[in-house]
Amino acid sequence: MSGNTLGKNLTVTIFGESHGPAVGAVIDGLPSGLKIDMDFLLDQMKKRKASGKISTARQEADLPEFVSGLKDGYTEGTPLTLIIRNENVRRDDYAATMNKPRPSHADYSGHIRYGGFEDASGGGHFSARLTAPLTAAGAIAMQMLKEKGILIGTHIRKLHHIEERPFSEEHLKEDIELVNSRLFAVLEAASEEKMKALIEEAAAKKDSVGGILETAVYGLEAGIGEPMFDTLEGVLAKALFAVPAVKGVQFGSGFAFADMYGSQANDPFAVKDGAVQTLSNHNGGINGGISNGMPIRFETVIKPTPSIGRKQATVDLETMTNTEIEIRGRHDPAVIHRARAVIDAVTALAVADLLMEKYGRAGFEEGHI
């Protein structure tokens, strides 16, 4: 299986380049008879789209076209193929930097990997443009999970130095529903104004900012995941690192465990309303790589967008000399607010894949679980 395919039971293969004719996905393993809620799918796509001064000026319609696997709005159970046309391409923006790798982009590593045959315009196959079909595929997985009472939500926990409150464990479902109703992923309305102002400030300085996204999965039953190499954390982490800007993931209290005693870090068990629960959730709903029935909680670090307008040091690969680069074109001063939809998408795909490991495809078809 190639590195462009995610999943074992529910697989998603991503194809295309940033400034090519289209990007797309092939999703295999879907149950038959799943009604695709196009309004929900397009709403998820809208959350990923560029908007206003805080995003790139590149505007794309991002309307998925289904060319196989869908009939009368229902999945057939055969491979579902979707394409998203690239309608606003400007390859000439990258002509001057074609042999000068942009710092912290995949230009150099991709050039070495593919021997110069890659399409490097706008990052080519490494571009965040490929998160568009990934978001569409994940929206379908989110619909599958929602039918089982499983909800996923992500908000901006921190943008540069601006923080907002974490998800409430006690009111988690309400928090997820709240953040999913908002185009800009915050729990507190006051955070939106502050964060947008900071992004615009970075753009004015020809710079960019990153931050931390917090994600929660509500309603996942205990017993999902496999020990050792297919742990719930491992499968999620692999999916999360497919998102180009992600450079770190921590589950539950994560690195804060380093400052705790065991008596502080442990999650004691108790019976509540006839069900086993934990009295805290430092481990993020996962023990031994398997869900314990508590909400899944994790954070992802989103790095500042590497495309900035300032002069930076690089090399000329033709002459093998040191030089400078000044990136032009249309770029995001921050991607964290757009990445939230992609994080939701890959989370849904990973969780759905592991549920299929336990129940199979039939477990998502009518008349089963």
Side-chain angles (χ1 to χ4, degrees), residues 259-276:
D259 299 321
M260 295 181 180
Y261 290 103
S263 56
Q264 298 170 309
N266 289 345
D267 298 315
F269 287 104
V271 174
K272 184 177 180 181
D273 299 326
V276 175

Side-chain angles (χ1 to χ4, degrees), residues 226-261:
E226 301 293 329
M228 298 298 291
F229 303 115
D230 283 326
T231 64
L232 181 51
E233 294 115 314
V235 172
L236 277 168
K238 181 176 181 179
L240 292 165
F241 279 114
V243 182
V246 171
K247 297 301 288 185
V249 179
Q250 65 173 3
F251 292 89
S253 295
F255 284 96
F257 279 125
D259 299 321
M260 295 181 180
Y261 290 103

Side-chain angles (χ1 to χ4, degrees), residues 56-351:
T56 174
R58 179 179 179 179
Q59 297 290 324
E60 294 281 3
D62 282 352
L63 296 176
E65 301 174 32
F66 294 93
V67 297
S68 74
L70 194 68
K71 184 178 70 175
D72 300 327
Y74 291 86
T75 56
E76 300 173 17
T78 55
L80 185 150
T81 303
L82 65 90
I83 61 172
I84 300 172
R85 307 282 180 182
N86 291 329
E87 299 173 336
N88 190 0
V89 298
R90 287 181 5 192
R91 302 177 70 88
D92 291 344
D93 284 351
Y94 301 92
T97 60
M98 199 55 65
N99 294 302
K100 299 174 183 177
R102 297 167 297 170
S104 293
H105 276 277
D107 296 351
Y108 177 69
S109 55
H111 178 78
I112 298 299
R113 169 63 180 82
Y114 294 110
F117 288 97
E118 74 284 353
D119 179 358
S121 299
H125 190 63
F126 297 94
S127 170
R129 179 73 188 134
L130 275 78
T131 63
L134 193 56
T135 300
I140 295 171
M142 289 178 75
Q143 293 176 45
M144 293 169 56
L145 297 177
K146 189 174 181 180
E147 290 188 3
K148 309 303 177 189
I150 301 170
L151 302 178
I152 297 170
T154 298
H155 76 112
I156 304 173
R157 179 72 175 87
K158 182 178 182 180
L159 177 77
H160 198 56
H161 64 273
I162 300 174
E163 296 188 42
E164 76 158 5
R165 71 169 176 87
F167 277 128
S168 165
E169 193 85 12
E170 186 178 356
H171 302 289
L172 183 57
K173 184 180 180 183
E174 292 86 347
D175 272 359
I176 290 175
E177 291 173 342
L178 172 62
V179 77
N180 284 345
S181 72
R182 291 180 168 171
L183 192 59
F184 192 85
V186 290
L187 294 169
E188 301 168 314
S191 300
E192 179 172 353
E193 185 178 346
K194 294 177 184 178
M195 290 181 180
K196 284 184 174 180
L198 180 60
I199 296 172
E200 289 184 26
E201 180 184 333
K205 296 177 179 178
K206 295 185 177 182
D207 218 327
S208 61
V209 289
I212 296 173
L213 291 172
E214 182 188 24
T215 301
V217 182
Y218 173 88
L220 182 64
E221 66 188 84
I224 301 303
E226 301 293 329
M228 298 298 291
F229 303 115
D230 283 326
T231 64
L232 181 51
E233 294 115 314
V235 172
L236 277 168
K238 181 176 181 179
L240 292 165
F241 279 114
V243 182
V246 171
K247 297 301 288 185
V249 179
Q250 65 173 3
F251 292 89
S253 295
F255 284 96
F257 279 125
D259 299 321
M260 295 181 180
Y261 290 103
S263 56
Q264 298 170 309
N266 289 345
D267 298 315
F269 287 104
V271 174
K272 184 177 180 181
D273 299 326
V276 175
Q277 297 184 8
T278 59
L279 300 179
S280 57
N281 196 15
H282 294 296
N283 287 275
I286 305 172
N287 295 135
I290 299 171
S291 61
N292 64 16
M294 296 297 287
I296 308 303
R297 303 282 295 268
F298 60 85
E299 293 180 334
T300 47
V301 176
I302 306 296
K303 72 176 183 178
T305 320
S307 289
I308 58 176
R310 298 187 178 192
K311 284 187 178 180
Q312 301 174 84
T314 187
V315 296
D316 188 316
L317 295 176
E318 276 193 323
T319 63
M320 290 302 291
T321 56
N322 296 323
T323 186
E324 289 185 329
I325 189 172
E326 190 171 353
I327 300 173
R328 302 188 185 279
R330 304 163 295 175
H331 305 289
D332 293 90
V335 295
I336 189 167
H337 55 292
R338 301 176 64 192
R340 65 74 87 93
V342 192
I343 296 297
D344 285 346
V346 296
T347 300
L349 289 166
V351 171

